[in-house]
Amino acid sequence: MTNPAPDTITVDADRLWRSLMDLAEIGAYDDERTGLRGVNRLALTDADAAGRRQVIAWMEDAGLAVRVDRMGNIYGRREGTDPTAAPVLTGSHIDSVATAGAFDGCLGVLGGIEVVRTLDERGIVTRRPIEVGVFTEEEGVRFGTDMLGSAVAAGRLTLGYAHGLTDRDGRTLGDELARTGFDGPADVRLDPPYAYVECHIEQGPVLAENGVGIGVVTGVQGISWQEITVHGRAAHAGTTPTRLRADAGLAAAEIIVRLRAMVDSGEYGELRATVGHLTVHPDLTNIVPARAELTVDLRNPDDAAMARAEEDLSAFLRELEDARPGLTLSTRRMAGTAYVPFDETVQKVIAGAADDHGLAHISLLSGAGHDAQEIAALCPTAMIFVRGEHDGISHNPREYSTPEACARGVDVLATTLLRLADQ
Ligand code: HGY
Ligand code: MN
Ligand code: MN
Ligand code: MN
């Protein structure tokens, strides 16, 4: 017998905040430059493994049945009255970039666990099971492909491909899953949930600029990652005449300047581009670099404009190779996902929950990639964004959302999950 579900559910804001701050201490570091406390919990490092163990402990304390799959994805399951019904899934990731804050991904995982605790406290049993997921290597910054665990769970990438990916020290993801003990037995292909709702910080300025705390996310823009390697020739920086140089460093600079010009040209819609990784070898003052490696991260809500940008960049690389004798360039695609629209029905449930909590909200596209864009291939999916402070800065220890903003976002998550789980 289930109690009549209340119209809305509010969670324990203090308990949610404590869990966010406690998890942020796992993999914490003191950022000398800013004096802030940051988080560095790259996927399947010891810090990530410790964070995973802490989350599993919280899941078990909350009565969830925990399983780990062969990609290290973790799922905590709360049974409903109908165990045969497809579950409502929520969750996110707890792996972080190297200069992270306390909220990216963690809010969705800890928010899901907080919803379960609150339902238990209220004695509410839903018809459908509810599951909280923790996906492996969402950031992609260690093994080079983002949303990795959720992409394998949804079948876009294979387990073998993912297990074979290596980090910069040559360790494979498969080895790191085994080393950390998260090479779980559960089948990696996720049975299609009834729906998936992810709560996440916005990581941008839009909610704050619109004076609201909640975002109903309409989709995720396209993502293109590639690594470009420029092969030149090491030579003396003084004696070697320019005409005899094959300078990989200056060529890398020309590529970066070109990206700047492409973004500023306005010819590729709302293209965003950055070179987040750049190395030269042998990386010494008086040697013309023999090799340069750079990564190019492109984002665009318009797939056709993204394709044009990718094509124009590769045409530029070919021109550069012709123009600079002695240079050869090679590229490696690291990740690529098209624009993903979210489900309008689920968006309506989220908007209705926000309305019923009396919370102003707007609809917006996600600038960042999320596990939700992968799970959207399996079931109706949408996201709830929570407003960030300091222009919503993220992937930076300054990342910050207030306890109030986090709690309101998880209230909307709770009410949304409750309504979906009783459908
Ligand atoms: O890169 C992204 O958009 C996300 O943080 N993985
Ligand atoms: Mn994230
Ligand atoms: Mn991130
Ligand atoms: Mn509304």
Side-chain angles (χ1 to χ4, degrees), residues 387-410:
R387 167 186 176 148
E389 303 304 315
H390 318 310
D391 291 332
I393 190 166
S394 184
H395 287 189
N396 180 310
R398 290 201 76 214
E399 175 186 283
Y400 185 75
S401 291
T402 65
E404 166 75 8
C406 292
R408 297 298 74 79
V410 176

mmCIF file with all atom_site columns, all heavy atoms in Angstrom, residues 387-410:
data_model
loop_
_atom_site.group_PDB
_atom_site.id
_atom_site.type_symbol
_atom_site.label_atom_id
_atom_site.label_alt_id
_atom_site.label_comp_id
_atom_site.label_asym_id
_atom_site.label_entity_id
_atom_site.label_seq_id
_atom_site.pdbx_PDB_ins_code
_atom_site.Cartn_x
_atom_site.Cartn_y
_atom_site.Cartn_z
_atom_site.occupancy
_atom_site.B_iso_or_equiv
_atom_site.pdbx_formal_charge
_atom_site.auth_seq_id
_atom_site.auth_comp_id
_atom_site.auth_asym_id
_atom_site.auth_atom_id
_atom_site.pdbx_PDB_model_num
ATOM 1   N N   . ARG A 1 387 ? 21.489 26.789 -11.202 1.00 0.00 ? 387 ARG A N   1
ATOM 2   C CA  . ARG A 1 387 ? 22.259 28.021 -11.440 1.00 0.00 ? 387 ARG A CA  1
ATOM 3   C C   . ARG A 1 387 ? 23.611 27.989 -10.750 1.00 0.00 ? 387 ARG A C   1
ATOM 4   O O   . ARG A 1 387 ? 23.742 27.488 -9.635  1.00 0.00 ? 387 ARG A O   1
ATOM 5   C CB  . ARG A 1 387 ? 21.411 29.172 -10.871 1.00 0.00 ? 387 ARG A CB  1
ATOM 6   C CG  . ARG A 1 387 ? 22.112 30.489 -10.723 1.00 0.00 ? 387 ARG A CG  1
ATOM 7   C CD  . ARG A 1 387 ? 21.182 31.434 -10.015 1.00 0.00 ? 387 ARG A CD  1
ATOM 8   N NE  . ARG A 1 387 ? 21.828 32.707 -9.749  1.00 0.00 ? 387 ARG A NE  1
ATOM 9   C CZ  . ARG A 1 387 ? 21.138 33.844 -9.737  1.00 0.00 ? 387 ARG A CZ  1
ATOM 10  N NH1 . ARG A 1 387 ? 19.849 33.839 -10.007 1.00 0.00 ? 387 ARG A NH1 1
ATOM 11  N NH2 . ARG A 1 387 ? 21.746 34.987 -9.473  1.00 0.00 ? 387 ARG A NH2 1
ATOM 12  N N   . GLY A 1 388 ? 24.619 28.524 -11.458 1.00 0.00 ? 388 GLY A N   1
ATOM 13  C CA  . GLY A 1 388 ? 25.952 28.662 -10.857 1.00 0.00 ? 388 GLY A CA  1
ATOM 14  C C   . GLY A 1 388 ? 26.265 30.134 -10.589 1.00 0.00 ? 388 GLY A C   1
ATOM 15  O O   . GLY A 1 388 ? 25.731 31.027 -11.251 1.00 0.00 ? 388 GLY A O   1
ATOM 16  N N   . GLU A 1 389 ? 27.119 30.362 -9.614  1.00 0.00 ? 389 GLU A N   1
ATOM 17  C CA  . GLU A 1 389 ? 27.580 31.737 -9.302  1.00 0.00 ? 389 GLU A CA  1
ATOM 18  C C   . GLU A 1 389 ? 28.832 32.051 -10.111 1.00 0.00 ? 389 GLU A C   1
ATOM 19  O O   . GLU A 1 389 ? 29.358 31.175 -10.812 1.00 0.00 ? 389 GLU A O   1
ATOM 20  C CB  . GLU A 1 389 ? 27.857 31.864 -7.793  1.00 0.00 ? 389 GLU A CB  1
ATOM 21  C CG  . GLU A 1 389 ? 26.636 31.512 -6.921  1.00 0.00 ? 389 GLU A CG  1
ATOM 22  C CD  . GLU A 1 389 ? 25.405 32.355 -7.268  1.00 0.00 ? 389 GLU A CD  1
ATOM 23  O OE1 . GLU A 1 389 ? 25.549 33.593 -7.424  1.00 0.00 ? 389 GLU A OE1 1
ATOM 24  O OE2 . GLU A 1 389 ? 24.313 31.772 -7.445  1.00 0.00 ? 389 GLU A OE2 1
ATOM 25  N N   . HIS A 1 390 ? 29.329 33.276 -10.009 1.00 0.00 ? 390 HIS A N   1
ATOM 26  C CA  . HIS A 1 390 ? 30.565 33.702 -10.722 1.00 0.00 ? 390 HIS A CA  1
ATOM 27  C C   . HIS A 1 390 ? 30.472 33.384 -12.221 1.00 0.00 ? 390 HIS A C   1
ATOM 28  O O   . HIS A 1 390 ? 31.344 32.708 -12.803 1.00 0.00 ? 390 HIS A O   1
ATOM 29  C CB  . HIS A 1 390 ? 31.798 32.993 -10.136 1.00 0.00 ? 390 HIS A CB  1
ATOM 30  C CG  . HIS A 1 390 ? 31.830 32.904 -8.649  1.00 0.00 ? 390 HIS A CG  1
ATOM 31  N ND1 . HIS A 1 390 ? 31.620 34.004 -7.828  1.00 0.00 ? 390 HIS A ND1 1
ATOM 32  C CD2 . HIS A 1 390 ? 32.017 31.847 -7.804  1.00 0.00 ? 390 HIS A CD2 1
ATOM 33  C CE1 . HIS A 1 390 ? 31.684 33.623 -6.561  1.00 0.00 ? 390 HIS A CE1 1
ATOM 34  N NE2 . HIS A 1 390 ? 31.911 32.330 -6.516  1.00 0.00 ? 390 HIS A NE2 1
ATOM 35  N N   . ASP A 1 391 ? 29.349 33.813 -12.845 1.00 0.00 ? 391 ASP A N   1
ATOM 36  C CA  . ASP A 1 391 ? 29.110 33.555 -14.276 1.00 0.00 ? 391 ASP A CA  1
ATOM 37  C C   . ASP A 1 391 ? 29.035 32.060 -14.584 1.00 0.00 ? 391 ASP A C   1
ATOM 38  O O   . ASP A 1 391 ? 29.279 31.634 -15.712 1.00 0.00 ? 391 ASP A O   1
ATOM 39  C CB  . ASP A 1 391 ? 30.212 34.192 -15.160 1.00 0.00 ? 391 ASP A CB  1
ATOM 40  C CG  . ASP A 1 391 ? 30.127 35.718 -15.149 1.00 0.00 ? 391 ASP A CG  1
ATOM 41  O OD1 . ASP A 1 391 ? 29.003 36.231 -14.951 1.00 0.00 ? 391 ASP A OD1 1
ATOM 42  O OD2 . ASP A 1 391 ? 31.184 36.360 -15.293 1.00 0.00 ? 391 ASP A OD2 1
ATOM 43  N N   . GLY A 1 392 ? 28.758 31.268 -13.563 1.00 0.00 ? 392 GLY A N   1
ATOM 44  C CA  . GLY A 1 392 ? 28.601 29.824 -13.785 1.00 0.00 ? 392 GLY A CA  1
ATOM 45  C C   . GLY A 1 392 ? 29.911 29.132 -14.143 1.00 0.00 ? 392 GLY A C   1
ATOM 46  O O   . GLY A 1 392 ? 29.916 28.064 -14.739 1.00 0.00 ? 392 GLY A O   1
ATOM 47  N N   . ILE A 1 393 ? 31.025 29.755 -13.721 1.00 0.00 ? 393 ILE A N   1
ATOM 48  C CA  . ILE A 1 393 ? 32.319 29.176 -14.104 1.00 0.00 ? 393 ILE A CA  1
ATOM 49  C C   . ILE A 1 393 ? 32.415 27.732 -13.639 1.00 0.00 ? 393 ILE A C   1
ATOM 50  O O   . ILE A 1 393 ? 31.900 27.359 -12.575 1.00 0.00 ? 393 ILE A O   1
ATOM 51  C CB  . ILE A 1 393 ? 33.490 30.026 -13.536 1.00 0.00 ? 393 ILE A CB  1
ATOM 52  C CG1 . ILE A 1 393 ? 34.819 29.575 -14.140 1.00 0.00 ? 393 ILE A CG1 1
ATOM 53  C CG2 . ILE A 1 393 ? 33.520 29.966 -12.008 1.00 0.00 ? 393 ILE A CG2 1
ATOM 54  C CD1 . ILE A 1 393 ? 35.955 30.545 -13.903 1.00 0.00 ? 393 ILE A CD1 1
ATOM 55  N N   . SER A 1 394 ? 33.060 26.887 -14.463 1.00 0.00 ? 394 SER A N   1
ATOM 56  C CA  . SER A 1 394 ? 33.172 25.460 -14.138 1.00 0.00 ? 394 SER A CA  1
ATOM 57  C C   . SER A 1 394 ? 34.473 24.930 -14.734 1.00 0.00 ? 394 SER A C   1
ATOM 58  O O   . SER A 1 394 ? 35.137 25.617 -15.503 1.00 0.00 ? 394 SER A O   1
ATOM 59  C CB  . SER A 1 394 ? 31.968 24.712 -14.718 1.00 0.00 ? 394 SER A CB  1
ATOM 60  O OG  . SER A 1 394 ? 32.008 23.344 -14.349 1.00 0.00 ? 394 SER A OG  1
ATOM 61  N N   . HIS A 1 395 ? 34.811 23.699 -14.338 1.00 0.00 ? 395 HIS A N   1
ATOM 62  C CA  . HIS A 1 395 ? 36.152 23.166 -14.683 1.00 0.00 ? 395 HIS A CA  1
ATOM 63  C C   . HIS A 1 395 ? 37.213 24.119 -14.134 1.00 0.00 ? 395 HIS A C   1
ATOM 64  O O   . HIS A 1 395 ? 38.242 24.366 -14.734 1.00 0.00 ? 395 HIS A O   1
ATOM 65  C CB  . HIS A 1 395 ? 36.302 22.979 -16.205 1.00 0.00 ? 395 HIS A CB  1
ATOM 66  C CG  . HIS A 1 395 ? 35.501 21.806 -16.710 1.00 0.00 ? 395 HIS A CG  1
ATOM 67  N ND1 . HIS A 1 395 ? 35.598 21.319 -17.981 1.00 0.00 ? 395 HIS A ND1 1
ATOM 68  C CD2 . HIS A 1 395 ? 34.576 21.037 -16.107 1.00 0.00 ? 395 HIS A CD2 1
ATOM 69  C CE1 . HIS A 1 395 ? 34.786 20.281 -18.142 1.00 0.00 ? 395 HIS A CE1 1
ATOM 70  N NE2 . HIS A 1 395 ? 34.135 20.101 -17.016 1.00 0.00 ? 395 HIS A NE2 1
ATOM 71  N N   . ASN A 1 396 ? 36.891 24.631 -12.938 1.00 0.00 ? 396 ASN A N   1
ATOM 72  C CA  . ASN A 1 396 ? 37.706 25.637 -12.244 1.00 0.00 ? 396 ASN A CA  1
ATOM 73  C C   . ASN A 1 396 ? 37.297 25.578 -10.778 1.00 0.00 ? 396 ASN A C   1
ATOM 74  O O   . ASN A 1 396 ? 36.105 25.472 -10.479 1.00 0.00 ? 396 ASN A O   1
ATOM 75  C CB  . ASN A 1 396 ? 37.371 27.010 -12.846 1.00 0.00 ? 396 ASN A CB  1
ATOM 76  C CG  . ASN A 1 396 ? 38.156 28.123 -12.192 1.00 0.00 ? 396 ASN A CG  1
ATOM 77  O OD1 . ASN A 1 396 ? 38.192 28.222 -10.964 1.00 0.00 ? 396 ASN A OD1 1
ATOM 78  N ND2 . ASN A 1 396 ? 38.773 28.966 -13.008 1.00 0.00 ? 396 ASN A ND2 1
ATOM 79  N N   . PRO A 1 397 ? 38.273 25.632 -9.843  1.00 0.00 ? 397 PRO A N   1
ATOM 80  C CA  . PRO A 1 397 ? 37.879 25.528 -8.427  1.00 0.00 ? 397 PRO A CA  1
ATOM 81  C C   . PRO A 1 397 ? 36.893 26.613 -7.986  1.00 0.00 ? 397 PRO A C   1
ATOM 82  O O   . PRO A 1 397 ? 36.257 26.483 -6.938  1.00 0.00 ? 397 PRO A O   1
ATOM 83  C CB  . PRO A 1 397 ? 39.215 25.667 -7.687  1.00 0.00 ? 397 PRO A CB  1
ATOM 84  C CG  . PRO A 1 397 ? 40.251 25.274 -8.677  1.00 0.00 ? 397 PRO A CG  1
ATOM 85  C CD  . PRO A 1 397 ? 39.725 25.708 -10.005 1.00 0.00 ? 397 PRO A CD  1
ATOM 86  N N   . ARG A 1 398 ? 36.722 27.661 -8.777  1.00 0.00 ? 398 ARG A N   1
ATOM 87  C CA  . ARG A 1 398 ? 35.757 28.716 -8.410  1.00 0.00 ? 398 ARG A CA  1
ATOM 88  C C   . ARG A 1 398 ? 34.312 28.261 -8.630  1.00 0.00 ? 398 ARG A C   1
ATOM 89  O O   . ARG A 1 398 ? 33.372 28.944 -8.238  1.00 0.00 ? 398 ARG A O   1
ATOM 90  C CB  . ARG A 1 398 ? 35.996 29.998 -9.215  1.00 0.00 ? 398 ARG A CB  1
ATOM 91  C CG  . ARG A 1 398 ? 37.270 30.726 -8.855  1.00 0.00 ? 398 ARG A CG  1
ATOM 92  C CD  . ARG A 1 398 ? 37.219 32.178 -9.275  1.00 0.00 ? 398 ARG A CD  1
ATOM 93  N NE  . ARG A 1 398 ? 36.383 33.002 -8.386  1.00 0.00 ? 398 ARG A NE  1
ATOM 94  C CZ  . ARG A 1 398 ? 35.660 34.037 -8.802  1.00 0.00 ? 398 ARG A CZ  1
ATOM 95  N NH1 . ARG A 1 398 ? 35.609 34.328 -10.087 1.00 0.00 ? 398 ARG A NH1 1
ATOM 96  N NH2 . ARG A 1 398 ? 34.959 34.758 -7.939  1.00 0.00 ? 398 ARG A NH2 1
ATOM 97  N N   . GLU A 1 399 ? 34.137 27.113 -9.287  1.00 0.00 ? 399 GLU A N   1
ATOM 98  C CA  . GLU A 1 399 ? 32.774 26.598 -9.518  1.00 0.00 ? 399 GLU A CA  1
ATOM 99  C C   . GLU A 1 399 ? 31.983 26.627 -8.209  1.00 0.00 ? 399 GLU A C   1
ATOM 100 O O   . GLU A 1 399 ? 32.458 26.124 -7.181  1.00 0.00 ? 399 GLU A O   1
ATOM 101 C CB  . GLU A 1 399 ? 32.886 25.171 -10.038 1.00 0.00 ? 399 GLU A CB  1
ATOM 102 C CG  . GLU A 1 399 ? 31.597 24.414 -10.235 1.00 0.00 ? 399 GLU A CG  1
ATOM 103 C CD  . GLU A 1 399 ? 31.879 22.970 -10.613 1.00 0.00 ? 399 GLU A CD  1
ATOM 104 O OE1 . GLU A 1 399 ? 32.231 22.719 -11.780 1.00 0.00 ? 399 GLU A OE1 1
ATOM 105 O OE2 . GLU A 1 399 ? 31.768 22.085 -9.729  1.00 0.00 ? 399 GLU A OE2 1
ATOM 106 N N   . TYR A 1 400 ? 30.789 27.240 -8.243  1.00 0.00 ? 400 TYR A N   1
ATOM 107 C CA  . TYR A 1 400 ? 30.016 27.317 -6.996  1.00 0.00 ? 400 TYR A CA  1
ATOM 108 C C   . TYR A 1 400 ? 28.543 27.526 -7.282  1.00 0.00 ? 400 TYR A C   1
ATOM 109 O O   . TYR A 1 400 ? 28.163 28.387 -8.062  1.00 0.00 ? 400 TYR A O   1
ATOM 110 C CB  . TYR A 1 400 ? 30.516 28.479 -6.118  1.00 0.00 ? 400 TYR A CB  1
ATOM 111 C CG  . TYR A 1 400 ? 29.833 28.544 -4.770  1.00 0.00 ? 400 TYR A CG  1
ATOM 112 C CD1 . TYR A 1 400 ? 30.163 27.639 -3.750  1.00 0.00 ? 400 TYR A CD1 1
ATOM 113 C CD2 . TYR A 1 400 ? 28.803 29.465 -4.511  1.00 0.00 ? 400 TYR A CD2 1
ATOM 114 C CE1 . TYR A 1 400 ? 29.524 27.670 -2.517  1.00 0.00 ? 400 TYR A CE1 1
ATOM 115 C CE2 . TYR A 1 400 ? 28.163 29.492 -3.281  1.00 0.00 ? 400 TYR A CE2 1
ATOM 116 C CZ  . TYR A 1 400 ? 28.515 28.589 -2.287  1.00 0.00 ? 400 TYR A CZ  1
ATOM 117 O OH  . TYR A 1 400 ? 27.880 28.611 -1.068  1.00 0.00 ? 400 TYR A OH  1
ATOM 118 N N   . SER A 1 401 ? 27.731 26.688 -6.618  1.00 0.00 ? 401 SER A N   1
ATOM 119 C CA  . SER A 1 401 ? 26.279 26.904 -6.570  1.00 0.00 ? 401 SER A CA  1
ATOM 120 C C   . SER A 1 401 ? 25.924 26.935 -5.085  1.00 0.00 ? 401 SER A C   1
ATOM 121 O O   . SER A 1 401 ? 26.527 26.232 -4.276  1.00 0.00 ? 401 SER A O   1
ATOM 122 C CB  . SER A 1 401 ? 25.531 25.780 -7.291  1.00 0.00 ? 401 SER A CB  1
ATOM 123 O OG  . SER A 1 401 ? 25.749 25.846 -8.683  1.00 0.00 ? 401 SER A OG  1
ATOM 124 N N   . THR A 1 402 ? 24.933 27.755 -4.731  1.00 0.00 ? 402 THR A N   1
ATOM 125 C CA  . THR A 1 402 ? 24.610 27.907 -3.310  1.00 0.00 ? 402 THR A CA  1
ATOM 126 C C   . THR A 1 402 ? 23.881 26.669 -2.785  1.00 0.00 ? 402 THR A C   1
ATOM 127 O O   . THR A 1 402 ? 23.272 25.925 -3.578  1.00 0.00 ? 402 THR A O   1
ATOM 128 C CB  . THR A 1 402 ? 23.681 29.130 -3.103  1.00 0.00 ? 402 THR A CB  1
ATOM 129 O OG1 . THR A 1 402 ? 22.431 28.831 -3.768  1.00 0.00 ? 402 THR A OG1 1
ATOM 130 C CG2 . THR A 1 402 ? 24.297 30.410 -3.674  1.00 0.00 ? 402 THR A CG2 1
ATOM 131 N N   . PRO A 1 403 ? 23.928 26.431 -1.484  1.00 0.00 ? 403 PRO A N   1
ATOM 132 C CA  . PRO A 1 403 ? 23.180 25.302 -0.912  1.00 0.00 ? 403 PRO A CA  1
ATOM 133 C C   . PRO A 1 403 ? 21.695 25.373 -1.280  1.00 0.00 ? 403 PRO A C   1
ATOM 134 O O   . PRO A 1 403 ? 21.064 24.365 -1.597  1.00 0.00 ? 403 PRO A O   1
ATOM 135 C CB  . PRO A 1 403 ? 23.386 25.487 0.603   1.00 0.00 ? 403 PRO A CB  1
ATOM 136 C CG  . PRO A 1 403 ? 24.664 26.252 0.736   1.00 0.00 ? 403 PRO A CG  1
ATOM 137 C CD  . PRO A 1 403 ? 24.715 27.154 -0.466  1.00 0.00 ? 403 PRO A CD  1
ATOM 138 N N   . GLU A 1 404 ? 21.176 26.584 -1.309  1.00 0.00 ? 404 GLU A N   1
ATOM 139 C CA  . GLU A 1 404 ? 19.756 26.797 -1.647  1.00 0.00 ? 404 GLU A CA  1
ATOM 140 C C   . GLU A 1 404 ? 19.497 26.384 -3.104  1.00 0.00 ? 404 GLU A C   1
ATOM 141 O O   . GLU A 1 404 ? 18.565 25.640 -3.404  1.00 0.00 ? 404 GLU A O   1
ATOM 142 C CB  . GLU A 1 404 ? 19.438 28.290 -1.437  1.00 0.00 ? 404 GLU A CB  1
ATOM 143 C CG  . GLU A 1 404 ? 18.144 28.798 -2.039  1.00 0.00 ? 404 GLU A CG  1
ATOM 144 C CD  . GLU A 1 404 ? 16.918 28.358 -1.231  1.00 0.00 ? 404 GLU A CD  1
ATOM 145 O OE1 . GLU A 1 404 ? 17.104 27.801 -0.142  1.00 0.00 ? 404 GLU A OE1 1
ATOM 146 O OE2 . GLU A 1 404 ? 15.790 28.515 -1.743  1.00 0.00 ? 404 GLU A OE2 1
ATOM 147 N N   . ALA A 1 405 ? 20.377 26.807 -3.999  1.00 0.00 ? 405 ALA A N   1
ATOM 148 C CA  . ALA A 1 405 ? 20.171 26.485 -5.430  1.00 0.00 ? 405 ALA A CA  1
ATOM 149 C C   . ALA A 1 405 ? 20.247 24.974 -5.641  1.00 0.00 ? 405 ALA A C   1
ATOM 150 O O   . ALA A 1 405 ? 19.437 24.384 -6.366  1.00 0.00 ? 405 ALA A O   1
ATOM 151 C CB  . ALA A 1 405 ? 21.227 27.194 -6.265  1.00 0.00 ? 405 ALA A CB  1
ATOM 152 N N   . CYS A 1 406 ? 21.225 24.335 -4.964  1.00 0.00 ? 406 CYS A N   1
ATOM 153 C CA  . CYS A 1 406 ? 21.360 22.872 -5.101  1.00 0.00 ? 406 CYS A CA  1
ATOM 154 C C   . CYS A 1 406 ? 20.113 22.166 -4.578  1.00 0.00 ? 406 CYS A C   1
ATOM 155 O O   . CYS A 1 406 ? 19.565 21.267 -5.231  1.00 0.00 ? 406 CYS A O   1
ATOM 156 C CB  . CYS A 1 406 ? 22.585 22.398 -4.333  1.00 0.00 ? 406 CYS A CB  1
ATOM 157 S SG  . CYS A 1 406 ? 24.148 22.955 -5.040  1.00 0.00 ? 406 CYS A SG  1
ATOM 158 N N   . ALA A 1 407 ? 19.647 22.605 -3.418  1.00 0.00 ? 407 ALA A N   1
ATOM 159 C CA  . ALA A 1 407 ? 18.477 21.940 -2.814  1.00 0.00 ? 407 ALA A CA  1
ATOM 160 C C   . ALA A 1 407 ? 17.228 22.124 -3.668  1.00 0.00 ? 407 ALA A C   1
ATOM 161 O O   . ALA A 1 407 ? 16.468 21.176 -3.897  1.00 0.00 ? 407 ALA A O   1
ATOM 162 C CB  . ALA A 1 407 ? 18.243 22.480 -1.404  1.00 0.00 ? 407 ALA A CB  1
ATOM 163 N N   . ARG A 1 408 ? 17.037 23.326 -4.224  1.00 0.00 ? 408 ARG A N   1
ATOM 164 C CA  . ARG A 1 408 ? 15.853 23.555 -5.066  1.00 0.00 ? 408 ARG A CA  1
ATOM 165 C C   . ARG A 1 408 ? 15.926 22.694 -6.331  1.00 0.00 ? 408 ARG A C   1
ATOM 166 O O   . ARG A 1 408 ? 14.933 22.161 -6.793  1.00 0.00 ? 408 ARG A O   1
ATOM 167 C CB  . ARG A 1 408 ? 15.727 25.028 -5.421  1.00 0.00 ? 408 ARG A CB  1
ATOM 168 C CG  . ARG A 1 408 ? 15.511 25.971 -4.256  1.00 0.00 ? 408 ARG A CG  1
ATOM 169 C CD  . ARG A 1 408 ? 14.228 25.725 -3.463  1.00 0.00 ? 408 ARG A CD  1
ATOM 170 N NE  . ARG A 1 408 ? 14.229 24.559 -2.603  1.00 0.00 ? 408 ARG A NE  1
ATOM 171 C CZ  . ARG A 1 408 ? 14.809 24.491 -1.388  1.00 0.00 ? 408 ARG A CZ  1
ATOM 172 N NH1 . ARG A 1 408 ? 15.446 25.536 -0.905  1.00 0.00 ? 408 ARG A NH1 1
ATOM 173 N NH2 . ARG A 1 408 ? 14.751 23.378 -0.653  1.00 0.00 ? 408 ARG A NH2 1
ATOM 174 N N   . GLY A 1 409 ? 17.134 22.560 -6.872  1.00 0.00 ? 409 GLY A N   1
ATOM 175 C CA  . GLY A 1 409 ? 17.262 21.724 -8.079  1.00 0.00 ? 409 GLY A CA  1
ATOM 176 C C   . GLY A 1 409 ? 16.933 20.279 -7.779  1.00 0.00 ? 409 GLY A C   1
ATOM 177 O O   . GLY A 1 409 ? 16.246 19.602 -8.551  1.00 0.00 ? 409 GLY A O   1
ATOM 178 N N   . VAL A 1 410 ? 17.364 19.812 -6.601  1.00 0.00 ? 410 VAL A N   1
ATOM 179 C CA  . VAL A 1 410 ? 17.095 18.409 -6.242  1.00 0.00 ? 410 VAL A CA  1
ATOM 180 C C   . VAL A 1 410 ? 15.637 18.229 -5.809  1.00 0.00 ? 410 VAL A C   1
ATOM 181 O O   . VAL A 1 410 ? 15.041 17.169 -5.997  1.00 0.00 ? 410 VAL A O   1
ATOM 182 C CB  . VAL A 1 410 ? 18.099 17.936 -5.171  1.00 0.00 ? 410 VAL A CB  1
ATOM 183 C CG1 . VAL A 1 410 ? 17.792 16.520 -4.696  1.00 0.00 ? 410 VAL A CG1 1
ATOM 184 C CG2 . VAL A 1 410 ? 19.520 17.975 -5.746  1.00 0.00 ? 410 VAL A CG2 1
#
